[in-house]
Amino acid sequence: MATEKKIDYVILGLLSHEDLTGYEIKKRMDTTLKYFWGASYGSIYPALGDLVERGLATKRDGAENGRNKLIYSITEEGRSCLKAWLALPVEKDELRYETLLKLFFGKDGGEEQAIDHINAFQEKVKMEMSCLLEAEKTLKSVLDMDETHKYYLLTVEFGIKTYEAYLAWCKEAKEMLGPSK
Amino acid sequence: MATEKKIDYVILGLLSHEDLTGYEIKKRMDTTLKYFWGASYGSIYPALGDLVERGLATKRDGAENGRNKLIYSITEEGRSCLKAWLALPVEKDELRYETLLKLFFGKDGGEEQAIDHINAFQEKVKMEMSCLLEAEKTLKSVLDMDETHKYYLLTVEFGIKTYEAYLAWCKEAKEMLGPSK
DNA sequence: CTTACCATGTAAGGCGTTACATGATTCA
DNA sequence: TGAATCATGTAACGCCTTACATGGTAAG
């Protein structure tokens, strides 16, 4: 029960829903989880190895027609480990927005530059928003099929609500900066 | 013009507004900047040393009645370095919310636990919200005294808007989880 | 007198990204 | 046949946090 890193729990969490390969885990990270957690191969594969070594997951060969494939499953110990972590209070919620940093020091760059940064931010948010809206529609339509969907939807709703706030802020912020334009 | 780390620019940004000691920089990080950027002494002091070495800042002795004090100032090269960075597009805006992670895997912990996490999140947000509201009032009252205040206010407004969204989400999320209670 | 705050810094170690290395298959 | 995708992994390196080490001053 040593202090596992977050990445371990993320993987355990994913494996608690379905068996996955390292590659598939990475895909989940890049799509579903990317809004609030990220990870690279360089942290996923070593973590998987550790998990197996500690008996929290098992690895089996799942090669299909010559294609290399290692499928990981969660063990009972893995499940209790995950459950124990879920019961612990949250340690840290962290936001690191370079956009806000550049805006905070924005006077040194001038109004136009600040507006450029806001516009870029707005575009990115709009783009991701449409993905979230997609996900919301899908999840709502299959909500009763699996209990996990409710929890996924919760996080999607979080994203939608905050992105709406971001978009409203973008508009206001630009008005505050360039009242003449 | 090597690739400086973000911490360098944060310090440069702070120094562009006023001369500061390492200790004071850390305080700024823990109060004003903590909403979107954090740093510890272990990164601040070495960074200050580097900045001086590269001619982007200068260090002078500012000891007061026997109290140790090293005051840092930004140089002209430091200012251009900061400006150049401000002009560059934002590389990454990153959010790492353990709360969302625990919620995403929330089914394994059960509804009550999920609600507990949301409540804890809500409390934290409420607390920080009142600080932001304070800051907003103050900044608005001194808005015309310094051009930088407008930019500070921009980031505060960002915080207020997103925290409002968070709070609205907390309410909705709890309704979604415990419709019977 | 003791707690809190002012003040500076280092060392060890953890964590994770980036880049590299390799190779098969599917699709256009 | 070439590009994209599937698939697994390692090594180097960078960055940062935690904990430690030290010492003065102000306030209660």
Side-chain angles (χ1 to χ4, degrees):
Chain A
M1 187 131 310
T3 8
E4 276 90 15
K5 330 151 219 160
K6 299 286 178 287
I7 182 74
D8 293 339
Y9 298 116
V10 179
I11 294 176
L12 245 24
L14 288 171
L15 293 180
S16 81
H17 294 169
E18 53 183 329
D19 290 358
L20 293 165
T21 66
Y23 186 81
E24 288 167 330
I25 288 171
K26 167 71 168 148
K27 270 211 298 193
R28 298 280 187 291
M29 298 281 192
D30 291 342
T31 53
T32 325
L33 291 175
K34 76 153 180 253
Y35 299 99
F36 51 90
W37 214 267
S40 60
Y41 285 125
S43 66
I44 293 170
Y45 282 113
L48 278 168
D50 288 356
L51 254 23
V52 171
E53 213 173 282
R54 285 187 256 156
L56 305 175
T58 56
K59 168 160 93 167
R60 73 172 185 278
D61 197 291
E64 273 163 9
N65 38 294
R67 178 167 270 169
N68 208 11
K69 211 171 201 177
L70 298 170
I71 302 171
Y72 293 87
S73 312
I74 193 167
T75 63
E76 272 318 305
E77 298 91 83
R79 276 184 206 284
S80 6
C81 178
L82 176 64
K83 248 184 208 146
W85 175 71
L86 283 172
L88 254 38
V90 166
E91 281 172 5
K92 200 159 80 174
D93 288 324
E94 193 182 7
L95 186 127
R96 285 213 157 194
Y97 278 15
E98 217 184 291
T99 300
L100 291 179
L101 210 51
K102 294 207 177 189
L103 233 54
F104 187 83
F105 301 122
K107 204 216 85 180
D108 303 298
E111 287 197 351
E112 261 169 79
Q113 207 168 80
I115 291 173
D116 286 347
H117 287 310
I118 295 172
N119 279 327
F121 179 72
Q122 194 175 26
E123 282 315 305
K124 213 169 40 180
V125 170
K126 270 186 190 163
M127 211 104 85
E128 295 192 343
M129 177 67 125
S130 69
C131 295
L132 285 176
L133 256 16
E134 265 306 310
E136 186 192 32
K137 208 164 61 175
T138 311
L139 280 172
K140 278 187 172 169
S141 73
V142 297
L143 197 55
D144 299 321
M145 284 172 58
D146 191 315
E147 240 215 293
T148 57
H149 293 153
K150 190 165 66 177
Y151 293 91
Y152 297 163
L153 185 56
L154 236 41
T155 63
V156 169
E157 296 295 350
F158 181 95
I160 292 173
K161 277 216 154 43
T162 63
Y163 280 9
E164 276 168 358
Y166 287 177
L167 258 15
W169 170 81
C170 286
K171 199 167 164 287
E172 212 190 79
K174 283 191 279 184
E175 278 162 15
M176 234 174 103
L177 282 171
S180 51
K181 286 142 210 166
Chain B
M1 187 135 304
T3 9
E4 275 91 15
K5 332 150 219 160
K6 299 286 177 289
I7 182 76
D8 293 339
Y9 298 116
V10 179
I11 294 176
L12 245 23
L14 288 171
L15 293 180
S16 82
H17 295 170
E18 53 183 328
D19 290 358
L20 293 165
T21 66
Y23 186 81
E24 288 168 330
I25 287 171
K26 167 73 168 147
K27 268 211 298 191
R28 299 281 186 290
M29 298 281 192
D30 291 343
T31 53
T32 326
L33 291 175
K34 75 152 180 252
Y35 299 99
F36 52 90
W37 214 266
S40 60
Y41 286 124
S43 67
I44 292 170
Y45 282 113
L48 278 169
D50 287 356
L51 254 24
V52 171
E53 212 172 284
R54 284 188 258 156
L56 305 175
T58 56
K59 168 160 93 166
R60 73 172 187 277
D61 197 292
E64 273 163 8
N65 38 293
R67 175 168 272 170
N68 208 11
K69 211 171 201 176
L70 298 170
I71 301 170
Y72 292 87
S73 312
I74 193 167
T75 63
E76 272 318 305
E77 298 92 83
R79 276 185 205 282
S80 7
C81 178
L82 176 63
K83 248 184 207 146
W85 175 71
L86 284 172
L88 254 37
V90 166
E91 281 173 6
K92 200 160 80 176
D93 288 324
E94 193 182 9
L95 186 126
R96 285 213 158 195
Y97 276 17
E98 217 184 292
T99 299
L100 291 179
L101 209 50
K102 293 207 177 189
L103 232 54
F104 187 83
F105 300 122
K107 204 216 86 180
D108 303 298
E111 287 198 351
E112 259 169 80
Q113 207 168 80
I115 291 174
D116 287 347
H117 287 310
I118 294 172
N119 279 327
F121 180 72
Q122 193 175 27
E123 282 316 303
K124 213 169 41 180
V125 170
K126 271 186 189 163
M127 211 104 85
E128 295 192 343
M129 178 67 126
S130 69
C131 296
L132 285 178
L133 256 16
E134 265 306 308
E136 186 192 33
K137 208 164 60 176
T138 311
L139 280 172
K140 277 187 172 170
S141 73
V142 297
L143 197 56
D144 298 321
M145 284 172 57
D146 191 316
E147 241 215 294
T148 58
H149 294 154
K150 190 165 65 176
Y151 293 91
Y152 296 163
L153 184 57
L154 235 41
T155 64
V156 169
E157 296 295 349
F158 182 95
I160 292 173
K161 277 218 155 41
T162 64
Y163 279 9
E164 276 168 357
Y166 287 176
L167 258 15
W169 170 82
C170 286
K171 198 167 165 286
E172 211 190 79
K174 283 192 278 184
E175 279 162 15
M176 235 174 104
L177 282 170
S180 51
K181 285 142 211 165

